[in-house]
């Protein structure tokens, strides 16, 4: 244990610039998590319901209005994510992140003042607009941050850096939950009781703007646009080395080689090239499929409607339901930290998704079974077990499907198409977050316990998908992950799965070394081989020989990112 802690401390010191970069960018996901955790608690406050006239509506009309208030943010997020690819490709990752923070702040300010000086009906329309507008900012953040972090993070800690996204989501969730609970106890019913949580969400947006001012642009974006000196400077900053260091030169050469003939692809060309081969299409669609499955785990149904769900399990007062919701936020946040520190790199992407999916599915089935057996909402011993099951669902979700889909997607997507693939994946996230936000209150009202059974079965399906079709990507440079999908994908995926060799028998996938050797250019390269690629390889090899006494980077495989 002491050895592990020493190693972790040494890594933190060595990669502190990379960790600070990841923290700065993923601060945007505190905004995302705050928005998700905020609205369910605000909707549960009687002061909010009274101000906007929800108390006078029927149960079905109130559920519809609540769904609209929640899901209009997802509508904005969908369009923000969809257009993120164009803006991030044209202007760079960093400027778009700064712009997304400004949009989010404007939306939050308008949202916090909705209804002031107007009728409640007009105020509700302003609330819809401000949540849609702020959602565009959050959508931009959610699409660009995973790409930016994965392109900048050293591969040794890439999973941890990209995974810090979910830590920030969990932190935003937790803070929003407890702010809601605090105002329900300490602020007398009135406008300020529900406005204060919305005003408080301005803070993470301001922090994102401040921290991102000090971060470099993505070195891969800089290489794509021919700005090699700036790319070298960015790599050197991330690795805390000189620009002439062996590791910086080798990594820069590897990135430049990967972009040969692919510089500055227009957005439509990127989407068109997603279908240029079966393997490319598969690598581009996996991020969207992973985020699609993530939404059907039921996590956002719980995030948005936790107070109502706890109320359906027997919590009669608003404050007690919000308190239980706050505990759920703490559980998820703490478990996310544990997963990030000790699980994501040691277990890998595949095992995390499989184990997490199976366990969260079992929790959903238990909750559904309990709700079906006890429809009267009375408190019995099984009630407390179901509450624990909700908390355990949060634990298992954090282990697997919380942030691993983002890590997996950003690693699997081809480098020259990563921005388009990730924007499509994020748009998928927002689209189905919108769908879940719309249908959850209706499902809870009409099929009640069947809601949890649907999410439980979906969790088993997604675990099976990962088991059979997704190879392990942990530890590979981004430019080498393409070889995992070249041949024998299902065999390789089963080999990487726990107990999977039982199903493949004596069959074995072609090794990474053989695939790389087959893909390497011959010694006497043909005339049509790119002159730029040969120059890059010669430069990198020459520099490697000149620095053969380098203590850490004499292995040419020891690339930075």
């Amino acid at each position: 244990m002491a050895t592990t802690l020493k190693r972790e401390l040494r890594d933190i010191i060595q990669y502190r610039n990379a960790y600070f970069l990841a923290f700065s960018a993923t601060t945007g996901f505190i905004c995302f998590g705050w928005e998700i955790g905020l609205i369910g608690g605000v909707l549960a406050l009687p002061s909010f319901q009274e101000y906007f006239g929800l108390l006078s509506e029927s149960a079905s009309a109130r559920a519809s209005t609540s769904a609209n208030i929640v899901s209009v943010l997802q509508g904005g997020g969908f369009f923000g994510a969809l257009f993120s690819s164009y803006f991030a490709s044209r202007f760079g990752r960093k400027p778009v992140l700064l712009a997304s923070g400004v949009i989010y702040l404007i939306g939050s300010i308008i949202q916090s003042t909705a209804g002031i000086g107007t009728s409640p009906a007009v105020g509700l329309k302003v609330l819809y607009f401000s949540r849609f507008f702020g959602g565009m900012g959050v959508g931009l953040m959610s699409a660009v941050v995973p790409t930016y972090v994965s392109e900048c993070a050293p591969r040794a800690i890439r999973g941890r850096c990209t995974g810090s996204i979910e830590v920030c989501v969990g932190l935003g969730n937790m803070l929003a939950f407890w702010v809601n609970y605090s105002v329900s106890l300490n602020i007398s019913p009135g406008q300020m009781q529900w406005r204060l949580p919305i005003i408080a969400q301005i803070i993470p947006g301001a922090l994102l703007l401040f921290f991102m001012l000090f971060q470099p642009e993505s070195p891969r974006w800089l290489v794509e646009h021919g700005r090699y000196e700036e790319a070298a400077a960015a790599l050197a900053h991330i690795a805390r080395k000189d620009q002439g260091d062996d590791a910086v030169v080798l990594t820069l050469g590897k990135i430049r080689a990967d972009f040969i003939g692919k510089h500055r692809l227009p957005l439509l060309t990127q989407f068109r090239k997603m279908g240029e081969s079966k393997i490319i299409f598969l690598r581009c669609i996996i991020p969207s499929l992973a985020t699609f499955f993530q939404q059907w785990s039921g996590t956002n149904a719980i995030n948005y409607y936790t107070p109502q769900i706890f109320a359906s399990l027997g919590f009669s007062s608003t404050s007690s339901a919000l308190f239980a919701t706050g505990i759920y936020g703490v559980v998820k946040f703490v478990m996310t930290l544990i997963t990030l520190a000790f699980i994501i790199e040691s277990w890998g992407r595949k095992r995390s998704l499989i184990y997490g999916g199976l366990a969260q599915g079992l929790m959903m089935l238990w909750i559904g079974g309990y709700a079906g057996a006890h429809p009267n909402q009375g408190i019995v011993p099984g009630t407390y077990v179901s509450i624990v099951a909700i908390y355990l669902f949060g634990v298992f979700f954090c282990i697997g499907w919380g942030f691993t889909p983002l890590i997996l997607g950003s690693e699997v997507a081809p480098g020259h198409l990563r921005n388009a693939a990730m924007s499509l994946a994020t748009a998928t996230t927002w689209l189905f977050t919108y769908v879940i936000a719309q249908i959850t209150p209706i499902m809870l009202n009409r099929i009640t316990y069947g809601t949890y059974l649907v999410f439980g079965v979906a969790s088993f399906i997604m675990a099976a998908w990962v088991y059979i079709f997704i190879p392990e990507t942990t530890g590979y440079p981004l430019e080498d992950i393409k070889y995992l999908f070249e041949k024998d994908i299902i065999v390789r995926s089963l080999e990487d799965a726990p107990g999977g060799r039982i199903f493949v028998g004596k069959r074995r996938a072609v090794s990474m070394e053989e695939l790389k050797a087959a893909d390497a250019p011959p010694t006497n390269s043909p005339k049509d081989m790119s002159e730029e690629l040969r120059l890059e390889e010669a430069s990198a090899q020459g520099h490697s020989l000149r620095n053969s006494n380098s203590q850490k980077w004499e292995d040419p495989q020891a690339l930075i990112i």
Side-chain angles (χ1 to χ4, degrees), residues 343-356:
I343 295 178
I344 188 61
E345 296 296 354
S346 59
W347 282 19
R349 321 305 185 230
K350 191 177 181 78
R351 289 176 184 269
S352 299
L353 291 170
I354 293 171
Y355 296 152

Side-chain angles (χ1 to χ4, degrees), residues 412-454:
V412 166
H416 63 297
L417 305 175
R418 183 174 295 116
N419 199 47
M422 290 308 294
S423 69
L424 184 62
T426 309
T428 302
T429 298
W430 283 104
L431 175 61
F432 283 94
T433 302
Y434 172 84
V435 170
I436 296 297
Q438 280 284 343
I439 68 174
T440 295
I442 299 172
M443 292 171 68
L444 290 172
N445 188 40
R446 295 186 180 178
I447 65 173
T448 59
Y449 68 90
T451 306
Y452 308 106
L453 300 182
V454 169

Side-chain angles (χ1 to χ4, degrees), residues 344-353 404 408 411-412 466 469-476 481 484-485 492-497 512:
I344 188 61
E345 296 296 354
S346 59
W347 282 19
R349 321 305 185 230
K350 191 177 181 78
R351 289 176 184 269
S352 299
L353 291 170
T404 310
L408 178 70
E411 291 176 338
V412 166
V466 173
F469 297 108
I470 304 300
E472 180 58 70
T473 61
T474 304
Y476 293 105
I481 287 177
L484 300 177
F485 296 89
R492 188 186 307 280
S493 299
L494 290 173
E495 281 183 341
D496 292 341
M512 170 74 78

